[in-house]
Amino acid sequence: MAAAALIAWPLVTLILFRVLGAPRGLIWSVAVGYLFLPEGYAAFDMPVIKYTKPVAITFSVLLATIVYHRPDPTQREHGGLLKAIMYLLFLTIVVAAPVGTFMTNPEELIDGPRIRPGLVINDLLADMADQAIRFLPLLVAFRLLTRPEHHRDLLIALLVLGFAYTFLVLFERRMAPQLNMWVYGYFPHNWLQHIRGGGYRPLVFLRHGLWLGFFLFTVFIAALVLTRDKEVTGRGMLPFLALWLLLVIYLSRNLGPTLLAIAFAPVVLFLAYRLQAQIAAVLAIMLLFYPVLHKQMEVPMERFLGVVGQYSADRVQSFQTRLENETELLERANEKPVFGWGGWARMRIIDERGVDTSLVDGAWIVYFGRHGWVGYIGFFGLLTVPILFAAFTDRRKPITPAIGGMMVMMAGNYIYVIPNSTINPIAMLILGSIAAFAQHRVEIDPGPRTVTRYSRFGHGGEAQPTMARPDPSMPHSRSVSTSYSSRSRRKSGA
């Protein structure tokens, strides 16, 4: 059943693109594939990579985009040459960093009875393919999810799927995490890690209960964002749905996502959208330089753990163990700081008996250990630079509720990837949408009688439309005349 689902997924994706159109087809194929395809299972081995869930999703999306996507004539680039160069630079570093890692790690590592091989050409190709597969959904989203309605569609899809997922979560909490066993015939992780407090931690069809918790956090933020979007009908029910999602996050036995949800809820509900974006930008900068900041973060982290320890001593002990391991692994990574150690567990600490003593969970230490500063800056540069561009875009360009909310989601992700490794295809869709917002200008036909002018910015950076007479100097092509407050016009020289 698992192999059949993975092999059939390209056909399912093509149907979704055909029925829903390319933007919505992209959203629903990636989200449904991530939530329901089998995790940690390879349908078959290809020469360099295995055909797993991420490969099935990425290959299917790429194929469907080639078949069904047509360029949007209303889309215009306005991000400037600098942004395009930065995106290309970080993408090049991500793909090229494995070359440096390959060239600097030809030697075997011998630790007692254990031998870790040097890197060969197949390791290089597999690493480059893995990076390309990981970031292709971001690039496709960058091209397809360019309009405000696309961003809103993404949040609505997450909310619909997340609400449906909550019932599966509650089932596994009561009956044990066995849906993956029933449907696909295997359990994708360590069973003992999903027994918590005399009960069960659900994971449904995801990699781990921690990944489930973060997905529910993302859906919770989506519900809050849509409550502030005046284009959404039936917003009166969304606060109750958000409370339901918060309850399910707590019942899923995920302390981290529960705390993140509580911390970010006021940010989403009450702060201006541009301020939300700037908070995300600060966290993005901290993540980008986290290997340097790690030592300085120890004291604040100890205080935080002291507070959390009043509620869950077991979780604090587990988190403290991770921090201690990260410190040791960081020392190991600094032995090869430029290009890292590569694969085959070469970045891990092996004692004289050949026993692996490392616990590797956080995405930041994984990439820093494998590919050094070069790979780390490339990978996390691609994850953070779109946020920086969007947060500090032209102030005359209002940040929409959806973009502000998605940037809060990524802010939570930046915090979560420090102890975990939760970069997934849905996060790539979100990041691609943010990058598209920063880079693209979408122009719409004003019609023969009226155009939309923006007289002022309302609460949260929302533009308040007023109707005005058409500009006779403007050709009635696919464009829009946008006017701002007199203060903005004076600043721009109008």
Side-chain angles (χ1 to χ4, degrees):
M1 183 63 179
L6 291 172
I7 293 171
W9 197 246
L11 177 60
V12 174
T13 302
L14 287 169
I15 293 173
L16 289 172
F17 269 65
R18 179 73 176 93
V19 173
L20 302 177
R24 288 184 177 178
L26 170 66
I27 292 168
W28 282 89
S29 62
V30 170
V32 173
Y34 174 69
L35 293 175
F36 292 99
L37 286 178
E39 185 70 56
Y41 183 91
F44 50 85
D45 285 346
M46 293 184 285
V48 175
I49 57 176
K50 297 179 179 180
Y51 188 73
T52 57
K53 179 199 287 192
V55 177
I57 292 173
T58 300
F59 169 76
S60 302
V61 162
L62 184 61
L63 175 63
T65 301
I66 293 172
V67 173
Y68 288 112
H69 174 54
R70 298 294 179 269
D72 185 352
T74 68
Q75 178 176 296
R76 299 290 185 272
E77 301 282 349
H78 83 290
L81 183 61
L82 175 61
K83 290 181 183 178
I85 291 175
M86 291 293 288
Y87 287 135
L88 182 60
L89 173 63
F90 285 115
L91 185 62
T92 303
I93 293 174
V94 163
V95 178
V99 177
T101 305
F102 163 72
M103 295 179 65
T104 55
N105 287 274
E107 74 283 0
E108 291 184 342
L109 301 179
I110 302 176
D111 301 279
R114 183 164 181 167
I115 299 177
R116 290 176 282 181
L119 303 186
V120 297
I121 190 65
N122 274 1
D123 300 316
L124 169 62
L125 297 177
D127 234 344
M128 296 176 71
D130 180 68
Q131 303 287 44
I133 288 166
R134 188 181 299 274
F135 281 104
L136 268 172
L138 186 157
L139 300 178
V140 176
F142 177 75
R143 297 306 304 174
L144 268 60
L145 305 183
T146 58
R147 291 178 169 273
E149 56 266 31
H150 299 157
H151 307 153
R152 190 180 300 115
D153 286 342
L154 175 55
L155 296 182
I156 291 173
L158 291 177
L159 188 59
V160 171
L161 290 170
F163 177 69
Y165 227 59
T166 58
F167 297 100
L168 302 180
V169 172
L170 295 179
F171 173 83
E172 286 203 340
R173 187 185 188 279
R174 178 68 179 86
M175 304 300 294
Q178 52 187 333
L179 288 173
N180 206 93
M181 179 68 73
W182 287 358
V183 176
Y184 295 121
Y186 71 99
F187 190 75
H189 209 274
N190 186 339
W191 177 265
L192 294 178
Q193 291 191 20
H194 293 82
I195 299 176
R196 284 284 183 269
Y200 300 104
R201 171 191 276 175
L203 76 162
V204 195
F205 298 106
L206 299 183
R207 177 178 174 182
H208 190 281
L210 295 170
W211 275 246
L212 173 64
F214 188 76
F215 169 71
L216 294 174
F217 161 80
T218 302
V219 178
F220 170 75
I221 296 298
L224 296 182
V225 171
L226 293 174
T227 62
R228 293 184 64 179
D229 192 334
K230 296 179 181 179
E231 298 295 325
V232 176
T233 58
R235 290 185 297 142
M237 294 299 297
L238 291 178
F240 301 100
L241 182 54
L243 289 174
W244 168 255
L245 289 163
L246 182 60
L247 175 63
V248 174
I249 296 173
Y250 173 75
L251 293 176
S252 70
R253 302 180 187 276
N254 278 286
L255 179 62
T258 302
L259 295 176
L260 286 176
I262 295 172
F264 280 110
V267 174
V268 176
L269 289 175
F270 304 116
L271 295 188
Y273 305 132
R274 191 168 294 275
L275 184 54
Q276 294 174 11
Q278 290 168 354
I279 290 173
V282 170
L283 291 172
I285 294 172
M286 291 179 65
L287 177 64
L288 189 59
F289 297 100
Y290 188 77
V292 175
L293 298 174
H294 181 265
K295 189 69 177 177
Q296 286 70 30
M297 294 293 291
E298 288 184 358
V299 173
M301 192 62 67
E302 289 176 0
R303 295 176 181 173
F304 169 75
L305 293 177
V307 174
V308 176
Q310 301 175 11
Y311 302 94
S312 178
D314 292 341
R315 293 295 84 215
V316 169
Q317 183 178 0
S318 173
F319 197 74
Q320 186 67 44
T321 301
R322 293 188 188 189
L323 293 177
E324 293 172 357
N325 270 272
E326 285 179 353
T327 301
E328 296 176 357
L329 290 167
L330 185 59
E331 294 176 359
R332 169 75 174 172
N334 281 324
E335 295 177 19
K336 287 197 173 186
V338 180
F339 290 110
W341 289 94
W344 297 105
R346 294 168 61 88
M347 61 167 285
R348 302 173 74 98
I349 299 172
I350 309 295
D351 64 18
E352 64 278 1
R353 299 169 298 168
V355 177
D356 187 346
T357 62
S358 303
L359 294 175
V360 183
D361 292 308
W364 76 274
I365 192 61
V366 171
Y367 282 91
F368 188 67
R370 285 178 65 98
H371 298 298
W373 270 113
V374 173
Y376 183 91
I377 291 295
F379 183 86
F380 286 100
L382 267 184
L383 292 183
T384 56
V385 164
I387 299 289
L388 301 179
F389 285 156
F392 301 106
T393 189
D394 191 337
R395 295 192 64 86
R396 294 172 297 169
K397 179 180 181 180
I399 295 177
T400 65
I403 290 298
M406 286 193 284
M407 294 180 77
V408 171
M409 293 175 186
M410 289 308 301
N413 213 329
Y414 295 151
I415 295 173
Y416 210 61
V417 297
I418 292 175
N420 301 295
S421 183
T422 50
I423 304 299
N424 58 67
I426 291 178
M428 291 300 175
L429 288 189
I430 293 171
L431 196 61
S433 299
I434 295 169
F437 164 81
Q439 187 75 9
H440 297 154
R441 178 176 67 238
V442 177
E443 300 175 343
I444 53 178
D445 190 351
R449 295 180 61 85
T450 60
V451 295
T452 302
R453 297 184 185 273
Y454 293 92
S455 60
R456 63 186 178 87
F457 291 116
H459 173 67
E462 297 172 276
Q464 306 298 316
T466 59
M467 303 309 295
R469 300 180 65 84
D471 185 351
S473 66
M474 181 187 68
H476 288 297
S477 60
R478 303 184 65 83
S479 60
V480 63
S481 173
T482 306
S483 172
Y484 300 92
S485 65
S486 58
R487 180 181 179 184
S488 297
R489 290 199 302 271
R490 286 196 302 270
K491 290 176 65 177
S492 63

